[in-house]
Amino acid sequence: METRVTALPKLFIGLDIHKSSWKIHCSTDLFSGKSFSMEPHCEILYKYVQKHYPDHQVSIAYEAGCFGYAAHREFESYGWQSLVVNPADIHRKGKEQYTKTDRIDAQLISRELKDGRLDSIGIVGEEQECFRSLFRRRYSLSKDLRRIKSMIKMQLLYFGVKLPAEFDNNHWSHAFRNWLEVQEFSHGTANESLASKLRSFRFLDQEFRHISNQLRSYARKHYKKDYYLLKSVPGIGGIVAAGILAELGDLRRFNTLKHLAGYVGIAPGIYQSGTTSRTTGMTPRAQRLMRSYFVEASWQAVRTDPIMQAYYRKHVGKDSKKIIIKVAHKLLSRTLAVIKTETPYVIGVVA
């Protein structure tokens, strides 16, 4: 009697990635397998699998982090099913919540993968990944700029230099910068300290402006239609529009507002037990950078759009921080509608 194999055996690989080494756990659909360490190279793992698990259908997963999607793309080039997962999605039971080692992490990923409980995060293409890197560089520069500005003002305050009334604000005009350039302290070391900070400020300011221009230019060239649709929404300027395209990609991939709001993090957490039910504020799981940009855009929308302003006023009396989150949710809804309908936003129109 002839025996035929009706299905390929399956191999599930849990991978805990680090710079100097990888911790691997291999299990099959029949056996729990084993854990081992190896050098951090995809081709070495591929050769190991080819030698010890030939003709297996391979699924592999690792946690999202600073190592990006390069390994994921290489694994997929081998014909493997590859998942990049959110660490929060890996279920830990009992004492596993209080015990953490690289070996245990790899075992948990392999187990969850084998049981079919893991979903991959959204994997962007290389082009969008590079675009996103440029947008995040601008965000990093903005933080550095705020820091150096604080350091400069801190030195003035420390040495008792009072700012003229017209410069005592957050706006760094050219007149204020010229005033800083001519400040003199009683000792040369303090002058050198200020001069060094001003050189850093000028460099960061130039880089910040250059990167901002590059972002807007790239978005206009490669995402022209969606870029101008997004810019029609009050509160969303060129940089925020570029950020949405870089961080969120094509908004058409979100089936519903609930899906998009959950991804961005402008959605309430809910606690319900028996007759007790309450909201717990915004979910901590979020695309934090875009959430902050949408909240900032909401303040501008309230100032420029009568409909959004009326919506804000309807909730006056509550905590202003909670009201603006409601406005941000409404702004997110209209942003999604603008992209899906491919119709520019019209200020003052009830939708």
Side-chain angles (χ1 to χ4, degrees):
M1 181 177 177
E2 184 181 355
T3 302
R4 295 184 179 180
V5 177
T6 57
L8 290 175
K10 297 180 179 180
L11 175 67
F12 304 94
I13 303 176
L15 176 60
D16 190 59
I17 288 184
H18 292 281
K19 180 181 177 181
S20 57
S21 67
W22 289 354
K23 183 66 74 173
I24 312 290
H25 184 83
C26 296
S27 60
T28 67
D29 45 354
L30 298 178
F31 305 104
S32 60
K34 65 175 183 177
S35 299
F36 59 93
S37 296
M38 59 167 283
E39 294 180 24
H41 300 293
C42 298
E43 61 272 19
I44 296 178
L45 179 58
Y46 175 73
K47 290 176 182 177
Y48 176 86
V49 171
Q50 290 297 99
K51 178 180 179 181
H52 295 89
Y53 301 95
D55 302 323
H56 277 62
Q57 182 180 325
V58 182
S59 297
I60 187 168
Y62 66 92
E63 294 178 352
C66 62
F67 295 96
Y69 309 127
H72 162 79
R73 295 189 181 102
E74 191 159 349
F75 293 144
E76 286 204 326
S77 72
Y78 302 150
W80 298 355
Q81 179 193 21
S82 176
L83 280 71
V84 183
V85 300
N86 188 318
D89 289 342
I90 300 171
H91 176 65
R92 294 174 177 267
K93 49 189 180 180
K95 66 180 182 180
E96 292 172 351
Q97 299 178 31
Y98 309 102
T99 306
K100 185 187 184 309
T101 65
D102 294 343
R103 178 172 171 272
I104 290 174
D105 287 347
Q107 288 175 346
L108 289 177
I109 295 171
S110 179
R111 183 190 71 191
E112 296 296 291
L113 184 62
K114 183 176 180 178
D115 292 344
R117 287 196 290 261
L118 290 181
D119 292 314
S120 179
I121 63 172
I123 307 296
V124 301
E126 287 188 72
E127 180 271 334
Q128 188 184 342
E129 191 175 11
C130 295
F131 185 28
R132 179 182 290 179
S133 174
L134 186 65
F135 178 69
R136 293 181 180 180
R137 173 57 182 160
R138 181 189 180 275
Y139 177 69
S140 176
L141 284 169
S142 71
K143 292 194 296 184
D144 291 340
L145 259 177
R146 289 195 298 270
R147 181 170 176 269
I148 196 64
K149 286 178 177 180
S150 296
M151 292 173 67
I152 290 171
K153 286 194 171 181
M154 181 179 68
Q155 179 169 343
L156 297 176
L157 181 65
Y158 185 82
F159 287 108
V161 178
K162 294 202 178 228
L163 293 176
E166 64 270 27
F167 301 145
D168 195 7
N169 51 55
N170 293 325
H171 179 57
W172 283 54
S173 64
H174 287 291
F176 177 48
R177 298 181 194 192
N178 292 335
W179 179 84
L180 285 172
E181 295 284 354
V182 298
Q183 292 308 299
E184 290 286 342
F185 297 93
S186 55
H187 294 279
T189 48
N191 291 327
E192 284 299 324
S193 176
L194 180 61
S196 175
K197 294 183 179 76
L198 288 173
R199 284 194 297 271
S200 296
F201 167 73
R202 286 191 293 269
F203 171 77
L204 291 170
D205 185 56
Q206 182 180 359
E207 280 295 297
F208 181 77
R209 293 172 186 273
H210 175 73
I211 295 298
S212 297
N213 290 336
Q214 290 296 314
L215 275 172
R216 285 187 287 260
S217 175
Y218 187 89
R220 283 195 300 267
K221 181 178 179 181
H222 296 273
Y223 302 90
K224 182 176 180 180
K225 182 180 178 181
D226 286 358
Y227 176 74
Y228 284 107
L229 283 171
L230 290 168
K231 278 195 68 179
S232 71
V233 180
I236 297 181
I239 293 299
V240 178
I244 292 172
L245 295 168
E247 294 288 343
L248 304 182
D250 186 357
L251 295 185
R252 297 172 186 84
R253 69 189 177 93
F254 295 98
N255 297 324
T256 64
L257 173 61
K258 182 179 180 181
H259 185 195
L260 176 58
Y263 184 85
V264 175
I266 305 178
I270 299 174
Y271 175 86
Q272 189 274 328
S273 178
T275 58
T276 302
S277 180
R278 67 175 182 269
T279 58
T280 58
M282 285 195 298
T283 172
R285 185 164 175 171
Q287 219 294 348
R288 296 182 183 275
L289 184 54
M290 288 316 303
R291 179 164 72 181
S292 68
Y293 273 97
F294 267 103
V295 171
E296 290 178 18
S298 298
W299 287 112
Q300 182 64 24
V302 168
R303 287 191 287 269
T304 57
D305 187 355
I307 300 302
M308 300 298 257
Q309 188 175 111
Y311 183 74
Y312 183 90
R313 290 185 182 279
K314 186 172 75 171
H315 296 88
V316 168
K318 301 177 182 177
D319 184 347
S320 61
K321 292 181 180 179
K322 294 181 180 179
I323 301 175
I324 206 61
I325 294 303
K326 291 179 178 291
V327 176
H329 189 274
K330 193 173 188 68
L331 184 66
L332 193 66
S333 170
R334 297 196 164 198
T335 303
L336 181 63
V338 159
I339 293 296
K340 288 215 166 190
T341 62
E342 299 187 351
T343 304
Y345 188 97
V346 180
I347 292 177
V349 174
V350 178

